């Protein structure tokens, strides 16, 4: 999904925000202890950060951008 200028940033940002909101709601309604919930949050946060890093690198390679 790209806009008329070939920019996919709004789509990626929307996906990340949606994922965070969905994860937050799921955690609020999860029937588990506080320690289990904190462990789950840490694990999911690491996975989300890894996925975001991979997408960033992928987009950077596609556009030829340098950091």
């Amino acid at each position: 999904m790209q806009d008329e200028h070939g920019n996919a940033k709004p789509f990626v940002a929307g996906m990340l925000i949606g994922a965070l909101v969905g994860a937050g709601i799921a955690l609020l309604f999860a029937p588990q202890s506080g320690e289990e919930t904190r462990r789950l949050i840490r694990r999911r946060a690491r996975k989300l950060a890894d996925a975001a890093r991979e997408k960033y690198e992928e987009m950077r390679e596609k556009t030829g951008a340098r950091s």
Side-chain angles (χ1 to χ4, degrees):
M1 301 255 139
Q2 297 177 348
D3 64 13
E4 64 272 2
H5 303 292
N7 190 351
K9 287 182 184 179
F11 177 74
V12 173
M15 290 293 291
L16 289 174
I17 291 169
L20 288 172
V21 169
I25 290 171
L27 288 172
L28 288 175
F29 290 100
Q32 45 200 1
S33 73
E35 181 58 37
E36 290 176 52
T37 301
R38 287 188 293 275
R39 192 173 338 161
L40 182 61
I41 290 170
R42 282 191 299 270
R43 190 176 314 130
R44 287 188 181 175
R46 278 189 220 112
K47 284 183 181 181
L48 183 61
D50 290 343
R53 216 172 284 115
E54 287 176 20
K55 278 292 182 194
Y56 170 78
E57 289 298 325
E58 181 181 314
M59 295 303 283
R60 192 171 65 109
E61 288 174 9
K62 283 184 180 179
T63 61
R66 297 183 187 140
S67 55

